Amino acid sequence: MTGRERREQLIGVGRKHFADHGVEGTTIEEIAASAGVSKPVVYEHFGGKEGLYAVVVDREIEALLGGVTSALDSGGTSRQLIERAALALLDYVELHADGFRILVRDSPPGQATGSFASLMSDISSQVDHILAAEFKRHKLDPKAAPMYAQMLVGSIALTGQWWLDNHRFKKHEVAAHVVNLAWNGLTGLEAKPTLTPETMERL
């Protein structure tokens, strides 16, 4: 096995262990044993468990962001773009289940990037301009668009987590239901939303 082939093997083995047990629940010994190599081989390629984990996470982020970015750059109406982005995220959940499980786990201490929250924030920033345009069209304040983008992407991501273990619905059905809630909710937005007087009285 060449050095490159060995590296790819270790990434695949590490990915499976991190998905099943998390980074904290995985040891170098387990990774080395599963790959049929000694611990020094893993250290030689990645410097340690955290180095291997960082490579795995970077690859998963690239795969997910690449799919969503491609969907948002495909052209079409605002609703079509949101539908395609939802499908792209669900595509990733379906085709990269282990990778998705890794991303939704907490990042190890000291790692500032690669967390699921920061990844969702990156995706939300790509949705901002779509919602801002719709807000302007409906005479709503576009400054609130980033907050609604976070809500939209967050709802899709959380639904994706649920769908990962509950495949009672087909992928296109899940996407349609998410977009139905988001889109029809957006079309009925109030210009200046407030809580009901009864709720305000409790504050």
Side-chain angles (χ1 to χ4, degrees), residues 5-195:
E5 289 171 340
R6 178 66 72 191
R7 179 181 174 84
E8 291 301 316
Q9 180 209 22
L10 290 171
I11 291 172
V13 170
R15 184 175 183 268
K16 180 61 176 173
H17 276 281
F18 295 141
D20 290 343
H21 309 293
V23 65
E24 297 299 332
T26 299
T27 66
I28 285 290
E29 288 83 358
E30 291 169 337
I31 293 171
S34 295
V37 300
S38 62
K39 289 194 297 182
V41 173
V42 183
Y43 286 115
E44 176 186 349
H45 282 278
F46 303 101
K49 180 178 68 174
E50 287 72 21
L52 174 56
Y53 179 79
V55 171
V56 170
V57 168
D58 285 346
R59 286 195 175 189
E60 297 306 324
I61 289 175
E62 182 179 353
L64 177 52
L65 279 180
V68 174
T69 299
S70 177
L72 293 174
D73 288 342
S74 60
T77 66
S78 295
R79 174 161 183 161
Q80 287 170 340
L81 292 177
I82 297 299
E83 288 175 344
R84 291 169 191 164
L87 279 171
L89 199 151
L90 293 173
D91 278 339
Y92 174 81
V93 173
E94 181 178 50
L95 300 175
H96 302 262
D98 282 347
F100 187 69
R101 286 191 173 93
I102 291 169
L103 290 180
V104 298
R105 293 180 185 275
D106 291 335
S107 297
Q111 182 168 315
T113 59
S115 71
F116 190 60
S118 65
L119 176 60
M120 291 299 100
S121 182
D122 288 343
I123 295 176
S124 296
S125 67
Q126 298 185 48
V127 177
D128 282 357
H129 70 282
I130 298 174
L131 296 188
E134 286 298 315
F135 275 37
K136 289 178 181 177
R137 194 164 70 86
H138 289 89
K139 296 180 172 56
L140 300 170
D141 184 2
K143 289 186 293 186
M147 177 171 59
Y148 281 89
Q150 292 279 347
M151 296 178 197
L152 175 60
V153 172
S155 68
I156 297 172
L158 286 173
T159 303
Q161 286 183 257
W162 171 83
W163 183 61
L164 185 62
D165 298 312
N166 296 273
H167 279 278
R168 287 176 290 176
F169 294 90
K170 295 179 180 178
K171 179 173 56 184
H172 70 273
E173 293 174 332
V174 176
H177 280 290
V178 171
V179 175
N180 179 43
L181 173 62
W183 191 259
N184 289 319
L186 287 172
T187 57
L189 285 180
E190 300 171 346
K192 294 183 178 181
T194 61
L195 299 177

